[in-house]
Amino acid sequence: MRFALQAQRLAALRVAMHTAGIDAYLIPRSDEHQGEYVAAYAERLSWLTGFTGSAGMAIAMKDSAAVFIDGRYTLQVRDQVDLNVFETRSYLDVPKWIGENLKAGQKLAYDPWLHTETGVKALKEACPDGIDGYFENVGGMILDAVMLRCNAFSRIAFCGMIAGYNGEPIPMANPSLILVNRMKLEGFIVSEHMQLWPEALKELGTMVATGKFKYRETVAQGLQSAPEAFLGLLKGRNFGKQLVKLV
């Protein structure tokens, strides 16, 4: 009974797809504004699949359907989605899954209002001269997109790989770029550089105060909101650091 609604809604979508003459339909989590938070009326992915994570997408076909997520949501998606109705796959498997399930001549439909052209294009516009240095704290698709824009002799400091903290491997899409661009990749553990802490605090504090250093954070109001904020952190609802303001 818990998952009955998911099967019913998927069946209704398939009827609509058949009527429209399409063979596959892509359902993103994003809405037409492409923001982090999606209004209740636009929770298409959650409505169809039950998955409430802040990043994901689904593809429905006549005889198959799948939900694609990154490593942060591996456990959550298995708890929220009917595994008898939807496969659960990594974002990196989207091209492979489409190739395995969509035959030549079949039609894959999507709502153009809900998609950007590509994240890579946006990154290109943000970094028209390429990237010389990058501080990595997540891994996965963002790292792959950044590496496509990295210049020769660029450097990447790895301070975190949160997309893989569930224990699953994080494939790298284009490792050959490390060789081609003669890149330097190095792990960075904060506790190994404590002698630089005072100097770093002074430098970073000055940059924040002058507006040279830009950052974003999610702030929950009041101690009573701490449990919900913590659960939201585990589900990827926060943007930047998750903080709780006590007074």
Side-chain angles (χ1 to χ4, degrees):
M1 292 298 294
R2 178 186 174 193
F3 296 121
L5 202 56
Q6 295 180 22
Q8 293 172 14
R9 289 174 173 174
L10 180 59
L13 174 61
R14 285 170 169 161
V15 170
M17 289 166 56
H18 177 75
T19 302
I22 60 177
D23 303 288
Y25 187 65
L26 195 155
I27 306 97
R29 184 196 179 265
S30 57
D31 63 7
E32 62 271 26
H33 303 293
Q34 297 296 319
E36 179 187 4
Y37 297 102
V38 176
Y41 76 88
E43 287 280 6
R44 299 169 180 86
L45 184 63
S46 174
W47 179 86
L48 179 67
T49 69
F51 175 64
T52 62
S54 62
M57 61 179 273
I59 300 178
M61 297 186 65
K62 178 182 178 181
D63 299 314
S64 58
V67 179
F68 300 88
I69 46 88
D70 64 36
R72 293 174 294 170
Y73 301 110
T74 303
L75 296 179
Q76 180 179 339
V77 74
R78 292 172 183 170
D79 179 63
Q80 294 182 326
V81 172
D82 186 350
L83 302 183
N84 294 315
V85 176
F86 294 95
E87 294 181 59
T88 60
R89 302 284 289 266
S90 166
Y91 257 132
L92 298 176
D93 292 335
V94 171
K96 179 181 178 182
W97 192 91
I98 293 176
E100 292 174 347
N101 291 274
L102 196 66
K103 298 179 176 60
Q106 290 187 318
K107 300 176 182 178
L108 172 65
Y110 62 94
D111 185 341
W113 284 101
L114 306 181
H115 302 271
T116 58
E117 290 189 22
T118 61
V120 174
K121 180 179 178 180
L123 189 61
K124 183 177 180 180
E125 293 174 352
C127 307
D129 299 322
I131 297 172
D132 294 310
Y134 177 62
F135 188 85
E136 176 58 87
N137 210 28
V138 178
M141 294 180 295
I142 300 300
L143 174 60
D144 290 334
V146 167
M147 288 187 64
L148 290 172
R149 295 295 302 153
C150 279
N151 296 324
F153 304 105
S154 54
R155 298 171 295 167
I156 299 180
F158 288 85
C159 189
M161 298 289 282
I162 194 171
Y165 282 1
N166 61 349
E168 290 192 0
I170 310 176
M172 184 179 290
N174 297 287
S176 61
L177 291 173
I178 300 172
L179 171 63
V180 174
N181 289 326
R182 290 84 79 201
M183 298 169 63
K184 182 177 181 180
L185 283 65
E186 185 173 354
F188 178 80
I189 306 299
V190 174
S191 59
E192 294 179 351
H193 304 277
M194 295 306 294
Q195 74 280 7
L196 299 175
W197 191 267
E199 180 183 351
L201 284 179
K202 181 180 179 180
E203 181 177 351
L204 292 172
T206 300
M207 293 173 69
V208 170
T210 58
K212 186 176 182 180
F213 186 87
K214 306 294 184 181
Y215 68 95
R216 290 181 64 177
E217 58 191 15
T218 300
V219 182
Q221 300 295 326
L223 183 61
Q224 71 279 3
S225 65
E228 183 178 353
F230 178 70
L231 293 175
L233 175 67
L234 298 178
K235 295 180 179 180
R237 293 175 179 168
N238 60 299
F239 194 108
K241 291 289 185 181
Q242 173 66 66
L243 304 175
V244 177
K245 187 174 182 180
L246 301 181
V247 294

